[in-house]
Amino acid sequence: MTVSARNVAVFSLGGTIAMTTDPTTGGVVPAFSAHELLAAVPALATSGIGLKVQDFRRLPGASLTFEDLTALSAAITAELEAGDVDGVVITQGTDTIEETAFLLDLYHGHEQPVVVTGAMRNPTLPGADGPANLHAAVLAAADPGLGGAGCLVVLGDEIHSARTVRKSHTTSPAAFTSPACGPIAWIAENRVRMVGGLPHRRSLVGAPTCEARVGLYTVTLGDDGTLLDIWDGNCDGLVVAAFGVGHVPERLVEALTKLASRIPVVLASRIGNGPVLSDTYGFPGSEKDLLGRGLISAGEFGPYQARLLLHALLAQGADGTVVRETFAASAR
């Protein structure tokens, strides 16, 4: 019997990569199993990589929940601790790939890489990219050079860190980018070619032990704070996606000060690329003013990543001090 040099576990969650046309509605819906997805990639049969396949969910990316991803993280951990796989691939809808990857990275404490992939063009369209992305993801998950890299995102033959990747276009096959630094590696001629060092891993977060509700409030021109008041008493933590380097209208300062005295309030930038500053601007509603009033800097985390980290911490019962220390330690 031939023994595969490397083995990869594949978990399918649904999404565009697994969709086909619903004859009733005429729209595409998740339908293909993980085995059917792999059957569409003949090159995998001759890759020398053994595959363990599991249909985990069949959902659009937009319908995935914290519960789904907590269960997935536990399943991945069990698979890795069994000791017979060298990496993991997850296929899912691209709507939430950057969030899934970031959250799984917070929970992932093993050496083997976890690679998330999907498709921008469903299988009914010309140039469907799902098979190529799945092939590249399996190659990346099996590559020993990516050991210790944590969770990664692979589409369009590019390998991105979970911390830096963003979905930057609604339809382009080249939608996934890392605006701050670019990809860490490429796939070419069926092998991984590194272009930078492995991502620096931050502190891990344990599995949830309690319920947590974390809000995300995006500041906009002319904002009078009325909608901000809705969050008071209705969440355990809040992320504010502020203007620029961390600015809000002066009208919001009092409400944010009150909230920050009750719950952790994290100050992020709605731009999603670049840091929140700490000591440059001093007007009411500036980053220096808000941080002095008790808000917590998100550093270079975008608002979506900041929300996931805050949720993970609060779901472990962390208090405001632990939240502040964790964000400070995670900032670049």
Side-chain angles (χ1 to χ4, degrees), residues 175-196:
F176 284 84
T177 62
S178 291
C181 59
I184 66 167
W186 298 76
I187 299 286
E189 295 183 326
N190 294 329
R191 67 182 181 90
V192 172
R193 298 170 185 257
M194 301 298 297
V195 294

Side-chain angles (χ1 to χ4, degrees), residues 279-294:
D279 199 32
T280 298
Y281 296 90
F283 56 83
S286 68
E287 84 288 345
K288 185 175 182 179
D289 178 50
L290 295 172
L291 296 176
R293 293 172 179 272

Side-chain angles (χ1 to χ4, degrees), residues 8-24:
V8 170
V10 180
F11 293 83
S12 66
L13 304 185
T16 296
I17 193 172
M19 290 190 180
T20 193
T21 303
D22 183 334
T24 302

Side-chain angles (χ1 to χ4, degrees), residues 6 16 25 43 101 115 119 142 150 208 218 221-222 226-227 273 278 283 303 324 331:
R6 307 288 287 178
T16 296
T25 66
V115 180
T218 302
L221 180 68
T226 300
L227 296 177
N273 183 23
S278 60
F283 56 83
R324 185 178 298 278

